C-alpha cells in the first residue's frame, strides 16, 4: 500500500511529460513567455490536455475492465478483445454508421455498448455450456467468437466501403483527440469509480457462483453489473480512440502477481498501471519517428505482447504455476 | 431445524434425488453417507439453495430456501462444496475475511476481526495467513476454505466431503473441530463423508442414502451394523466395538 503514492506520482509525471511531447513547441518557457504564448496555451488546452486526459481515462478504464472480465469469466486470459466484447462494439459502431449516420456520438456509443453487452453475454453463455473449462480453451473460444463477429463486420464494411472506419475503431490512436472529441471517456472514468465501489462484489464473484450464493449475493446481478461496466467502457474507448490491445490482459495479470486479486486492494494498482502503461506507450509512439507518430495500437501491441509472453513463460517456469 | 419435504431433483429424465423427506433437528453433527452417485451432494446443494429442486420444498428454521433472500439465509446457513477451483489469487486471510461478507458487506468491524483471527487459529493457519491460496498445498487450501465457511458463523454449517485432501492428523483435527463447533457453539454441522468410521466416531446422527433415497437414519449404533452397511454399500463389513465406538472393517 505504501508504494501506491509513489506509483501515483510516477503516473502524474508521465502525464506531465505527455503534455509537452509533440510537433509544436509547447514548453514551460513558451507557455509563460510574454510573446507568442497564446498559441502554446491554445495547443495545450485544445489538443495536449485532452489527449493526456483521454489516455489516462481510457488506460485506467480498459485495464479495470480486463480485471472485471477476468473475475466474471474466472480466467486470467480474458479481456475485452478475447471475449467478443470489442469486436461486438465495432460491429455496433458499423451498424449505426450505416443505418443511422446522423446519430450523435453518444448514441453511437450506446448502440455499440448494447452490441458489446450482447456479444459478451453470448461468450459467457457459451462458457457455461462447455463441460471442461481448460483455462486456455476459454480465451480461444472468445477469439473464435470475436473472429466470427469481425468477419461479419468486415463483410458489411467491405460492401459499403467503410473498411477505413472499421480499422480506426480496431486500432487505438490518440492523435485525433481534441477538445470536444474525447469527453465521452469521462463516462468510463465514472464507471471505473463504480467498479471500485463494487470491488468486493466482483472479488466474491471471482470465487465462483457457489461461493457467491453462499455469501448471500445474487451472482447473476453481479455478473450483469460487471458486463454493463465492461461493455460501456469498451464502447466508449472504441468510439473515441479505438481499441487498445493487450491492456486489459497484461495489467491485471502483472498486478495480480504482486498484490493478488482482492479487488478492493488491487484495483487502484490496476488503474494506475493501466494509465501509466498507456501514457508511456503513447509517448514512445510520438517520439520514435518524430515528427510523425506511431498509433498506440501498434506500440501497445508490441509492448503488451512482450509482457504477455513474459507472463506466460513465468507461469510455466514457476513450480506452483498452475495454469490460470 | 431443517425440513426437507418430498424433494426431487432430476436431470433430463434421470432422477438424482428421489422424493426425499427428512427433518434434521438443530444441534449436533449429522453425517450423510452412501455410495457414489447416491445423491448426497445434490441433496446438500438443494438444502443450501445452490441448486433448485425439481419438486418439493426445503425450509431452514421455517424459511423456504427457494424464496428467502440470499443475504438473510447467508447469516443462517453456510455451505462448502467439494472441488473448489480458485482462479482468483487471494490470501488466506482475505478469503477467511470474506466469510464475514454477509454481515458487513465488505466492511470489517473489530468483532469481525476477532472472528477471523479465531477461526484462522482453530484451523492452524496462522503461519499461512498472509500467503496466497495458489501457494498452498491442497490440504492447506481445503482448511482455508473451511475456515471461511466457519468464519461465516452460521447456525447451520454444511460441508461436502470436508476431509478431502487432508492427511490423517488434519482429518482428525477437523472432525474434532466440527464436534466442538456443535458442542461448544451450539451449531448444526452437516457433513457428507466417505469414511464410515469418521462418521461413526463423531456423529450424533447418520443419514444413509442410496439411489437418490434416504434408506436409513439414526444414531451411529443403529447404522454401523453389518446388515445396514451391506444394504447401503453392497460390501461385507465386520463391526468391532473399540472404546465404545463402532468401527467397520471392510478391507478384506
Amino acid at each position: 500500500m505504501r508504494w501506491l503514492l509513489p506509483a501515483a506520482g510516477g503516473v502524474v509525471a508521465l502525464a506531465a511529460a505527455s503534455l509537452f511531447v509533440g510537433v509544436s513547441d509547447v514548453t514551460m518557457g513558451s507557455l509563460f513567455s510574454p510573446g507568442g504564448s497564446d498559441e502554446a496555451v491554445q495547443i495545450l488546452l485544445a489538443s495536449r490536455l485532452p489527449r493526456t486526459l483521454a489516455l489516462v481515462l481510457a488506460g485506467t478504464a480498459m485495464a479495470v475492465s480486463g480485471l472485471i472480465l477476468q473475475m466474471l469469466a474466472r480466467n486470467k486470459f480474458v479481456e475485452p478483445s478475447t471475449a467478443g466484447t470489442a469486436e461486438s462494439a465495432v460491429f455496433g459502431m458499423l451498424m449505426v454508421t450505416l443505418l443511422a449516420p446522423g446519430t450523435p456520438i453518444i448514441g453511437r456509443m450506446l448502440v455499440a455498448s448494447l452490441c458489446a453487452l450482447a456479444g459478451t453475454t453470448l461468450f459467457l453463455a457459451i462458457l457455461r455450456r462447455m463441460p471442461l473449462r481448460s483455462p486456455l480453451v476459454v480465451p480461444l473460444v472468445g477469439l473464435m467468437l470475436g473472429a466470427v463477429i469481425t468477419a461479419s463486420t468486415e463483410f458489411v464494411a467491405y460492401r459499403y466501403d467503410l473498411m477505413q472506419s472499421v480499422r480506426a475503431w480496431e486500432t487505438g490512436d490518440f492523435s485525433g483527440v481534441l477538445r470536444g472529441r474525447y469527453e465521452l471517456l469521462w463516462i468510463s472514468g465514472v464507471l471505473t469509480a463504480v467498479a471500485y465501489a463494487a470491488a468486493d462484489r466482483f472479488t466474491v464473484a471471482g470465487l465462483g457462483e457457489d461461493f457467491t450464493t453462499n455469501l448471500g449475493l445474487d451472482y447473476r446481478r453481479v455478473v450483469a453489473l460487471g458486463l454493463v461496466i465492461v461493455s460501456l467502457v469498451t464502447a466508449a474507448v472504441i468510439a473515441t480512440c479505438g481499441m487498445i490491445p493487450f491492456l486489459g490482459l497484461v495489467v491485471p495479470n502483472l498486478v495480480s502477481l504482486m498484490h493478488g486479486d482482492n479487488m478492493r486492494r488491487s484495483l487502484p494498482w490496476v488503474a494506475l498501471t493501466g494509465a501509466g502503461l498507456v501514457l508511456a506507450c503513447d509517448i514512445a509512439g510520438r517520439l520514435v519517428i518524430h515528427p510523425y507518430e506511431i498509433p498506440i495500437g501498434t506500440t501497445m501491441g508490441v509492448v503488451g505482447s512482450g509482457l504477455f509472453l513474459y507472463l506466460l513463460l513465468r507461469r510455466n517456469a514457476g513450480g506452483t504455476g498452475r495454469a490460470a | 431445524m431443517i425440513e426437507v419435504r418430498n424433494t426431487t431433483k432430476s436431470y433430463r429424465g434421470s432422477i438424482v434425488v428421489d422424493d426425499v423427506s427428512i427433518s434434521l433437528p438443530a444441534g449436533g453433527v449429522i453425517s450423510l453417507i452412501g455410495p457414489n452417485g447416491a445423491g448426497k451432494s445434490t441433496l446438500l446443494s438443494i438444502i443450501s439453495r445452490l441448486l433448485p429442486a425439481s419438486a418439493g420444498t426445503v425450509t431452514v428454521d421455517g424459511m423456504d430456501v427457494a424464496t428467502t433472500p440470499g443475504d438473510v439465509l447467508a447469516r443462517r446457513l453456510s455451505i462448502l462444496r467439494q472441488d473448489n477451483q480458485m482462479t482468483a489469487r487471494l490470501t488466506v486471510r482475505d478469503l477467511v475475511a470474506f466469510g464475514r461478507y454477509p454481515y458487513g458487506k465488505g466492511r470489517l468491524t473489530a468483532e469481525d476481526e476477532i472472528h477471523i483471527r479465531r477461526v484462522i487459529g482453530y484451523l492452524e493457519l496462522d503461519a499461512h495467513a498472509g500467503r496466497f491460496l495458489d501457494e498452498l498445498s491442497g490440504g492447506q487450501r481445503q482448511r482455508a476454505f473451511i475456515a471461511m465457511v466457519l468464519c461465516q458463523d452460521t447456525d447451520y454449517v454444511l460441508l461436502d466431503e470436508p476431509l478431502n485432501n487432508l492427511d490423517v492428523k488434519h482429518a482428525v483435527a477437523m472432525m474434532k473441530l466440527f464436534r466442538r463447533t456443535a458442542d461448544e457453539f451450539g451449531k448444526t454441522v452437516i457433513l457428507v463423508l466417505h469414511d464410515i468410521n469418521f462418521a461413526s466416531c463423531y456423529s450424533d446422527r447418520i443419514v444413509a442414502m442410496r439411489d437418490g433415497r434416504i434408506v436409513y437414519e439414526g444414531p451411529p449404533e443403529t447404522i454401523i451394523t453389518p446388515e445396514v452397511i451391506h444394504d447401503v454399500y453392497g460390501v461385507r463389513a465386520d463391526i468391532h466395538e473399540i472404546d465404545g465406538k463402532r468401527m467397520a472393517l471392510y478391507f478384506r
Side-chain angles (χ1 to χ4, degrees):
Chain A
M1 268 297 119
R2 64 203 164 98
W3 291 105
L4 204 56
L5 269 182
V11 171
V12 170
L14 276 170
S18 163
L19 290 176
F20 297 106
V21 175
V23 178
S24 8
D25 187 32
V26 178
T27 60
M28 281 296 180
S30 69
L31 279 178
F32 295 106
S33 73
S37 71
D38 257 13
E39 199 197 333
V41 172
Q42 279 290 318
I43 288 172
L44 184 76
L45 292 182
S47 161
R48 299 287 172 80
L49 190 63
R51 180 174 192 158
T52 304
L53 284 172
L55 285 164
V56 170
L57 287 169
T60 307
M62 281 315 283
V64 170
S65 288
L67 177 62
I68 293 175
L69 213 45
Q70 287 172 17
M71 288 305 215
L72 299 186
R74 300 185 68 206
N75 186 290
K76 292 271 185 202
F77 299 119
V78 167
E79 68 136 9
S81 63
T82 62
T85 318
E87 293 80 359
S88 309
V90 170
F91 179 79
M93 290 296 286
L94 178 71
M95 285 301 129
V96 195
T97 309
L98 264 180
L99 302 175
T103 314
I105 184 82
I106 179 98
R108 293 179 193 210
M109 185 211 121
L110 285 176
V111 173
S113 55
L114 281 178
C115 286
L117 191 61
T120 322
T121 308
L122 178 62
F123 171 67
L124 289 183
I126 295 172
L127 288 191
R128 280 176 87 93
R129 274 175 186 72
M130 286 204 320
L132 272 175
R133 286 175 55 176
S134 152
L136 285 170
V137 170
V138 173
L140 284 180
V141 168
L143 289 170
M144 283 190 277
L145 176 66
V148 171
I149 297 167
T150 301
S152 342
T153 307
E154 295 195 341
F155 176 74
V156 177
Y158 190 75
R159 286 266 162 136
Y160 292 92
D161 208 14
L162 283 166
M163 282 304 282
Q164 230 171 355
S165 302
V166 170
R167 288 278 173 268
W169 296 319
E170 282 173 346
T171 317
D173 184 1
F174 285 83
S175 62
V177 171
L178 291 171
R179 187 170 53 198
R181 282 214 221 147
Y182 81 100
E183 282 73 5
L184 219 49
L185 285 174
W186 285 105
I187 296 176
S188 13
V190 172
L191 290 168
T192 309
V194 172
Y196 185 68
D200 287 322
R201 277 179 235 192
F202 291 128
T203 312
V204 171
L207 301 177
E209 182 168 0
D210 291 342
F211 274 86
T212 312
T213 309
N214 171 48
L215 291 176
L217 273 173
D218 187 335
Y219 182 72
R220 283 158 74 178
R221 273 164 71 174
V222 182
V223 171
L225 173 68
L227 286 184
V228 167
I229 292 178
V230 169
S231 304
L232 282 170
V233 163
T234 308
V237 169
I238 283 178
T240 45
C241 49
M243 188 59 199
I244 312 169
F246 285 106
L247 189 64
L249 187 64
V250 167
V251 172
N253 273 291
L254 280 177
V255 172
S256 170
L257 280 182
M258 278 176 286
H259 303 281
D261 290 327
N262 188 348
M263 264 177 69
R264 178 72 56 204
R265 210 170 304 141
S266 71
L267 193 138
W269 282 103
V270 169
L272 278 177
T273 314
L277 194 58
V278 166
L279 281 167
C281 283
D282 187 65
I283 293 171
R286 280 189 267 171
L287 291 178
V288 172
I289 52 165
H290 189 84
Y292 304 102
E293 270 196 37
I294 299 176
I296 190 164
T298 310
T299 46
M300 192 68 207
V302 172
V303 175
S305 54
L307 282 171
F308 186 54
L309 267 180
Y310 163 77
L311 286 167
L312 274 181
L313 294 173
R314 214 201 84 93
R315 207 178 268 276
N316 289 336
T320 54
R322 305 182 319 129
Chain B
M1 174 147 93
I2 293 179
E3 275 208 83
V4 180
R5 258 175 263 136
N6 305 106
T7 293
T8 297
K9 179 75 188 176
S10 54
Y11 294 100
R12 290 195 199 96
S14 74
I15 293 171
V16 188
V17 170
D18 189 0
D19 195 25
V20 164
S21 296
I22 189 173
S23 332
L24 302 168
V29 175
I30 301 161
S31 296
L32 267 168
I33 64 167
N36 297 334
K40 311 179 292 288
S41 299
T42 308
L43 181 61
L44 208 69
S45 295
I46 292 172
I47 293 175
S48 56
R49 50 100 166 79
L50 296 185
L51 271 183
S54 310
T57 53
V58 175
T59 57
V60 175
D61 291 339
M63 298 181 293
D64 188 333
V65 296
T67 53
T68 307
D71 55 334
V72 174
L73 223 44
R75 279 172 258 149
R76 302 297 282 275
L77 174 146
S78 54
I79 166 84
L80 180 70
R81 288 181 83 165
Q82 52 174 331
D83 299 330
N84 297 293
Q85 298 227 330
M86 193 74 22
T87 46
R89 257 181 122 233
L90 289 186
T91 62
V92 171
R93 199 196 163 282
D94 282 351
L95 179 76
V96 176
F98 271 111
R100 301 306 295 169
Y101 189 87
Y103 300 93
K105 311 288 177 215
R107 281 181 209 292
L108 295 177
T109 62
E111 194 200 328
D112 292 330
E113 299 283 354
I114 293 170
H115 270 288
I116 294 164
R117 218 168 310 136
R118 189 166 59 193
V119 171
I120 287 179
Y122 283 159
L123 287 139
E124 298 172 36
L125 287 164
D126 307 84
H128 310 297
R131 289 173 68 192
F132 287 110
L133 291 171
D134 59 352
E135 298 166 351
L136 302 180
S137 74
Q140 290 165 336
R141 205 157 38 233
Q142 175 72 356
R143 273 149 58 205
F145 289 139
I146 291 171
M148 186 199 107
V149 171
L150 291 180
C151 198
Q152 218 172 317
D153 195 31
T154 50
D155 296 337
Y156 299 91
V157 184
L158 279 56
L159 300 136
D160 194 349
E161 294 191 30
L163 305 183
N164 268 359
N165 288 318
L166 298 186
D167 58 31
V168 177
K169 176 189 158 198
H170 285 109
V172 171
M174 191 63 75
M175 291 308 292
K176 284 187 171 156
L177 180 61
F178 294 149
R179 203 53 264 174
R180 217 179 129 195
T181 308
D183 298 339
E184 276 180 38
F185 300 101
K187 312 285 186 192
T188 312
V189 183
I190 303 176
L191 310 167
V192 170
L193 286 182
H194 265 306
D195 190 323
I196 307 170
N197 293 329
F198 268 129
S200 170
C201 291
Y202 289 93
S203 315
D204 299 303
R205 272 156 67 95
I206 297 178
V207 176
M209 287 185 76
R210 197 192 59 205
D211 301 328
R213 293 170 178 274
I214 290 174
V215 283
Y216 296 94
E217 61 148 330
E221 307 88 81
T222 64
I223 305 293
I224 309 301
T225 65
E227 298 76 30
V228 172
I229 300 290
H230 186 262
D231 190 27
V232 173
Y233 289 96
V235 295
R236 265 190 217 296
D238 297 334
I239 308 297
H240 294 268
E241 194 150 320
I242 301 171
D243 293 341
K245 297 290 182 191
R246 298 171 75 86
M247 307 294 264
L249 297 182
Y250 44 80
F251 298 103
R252 285 178 297 151

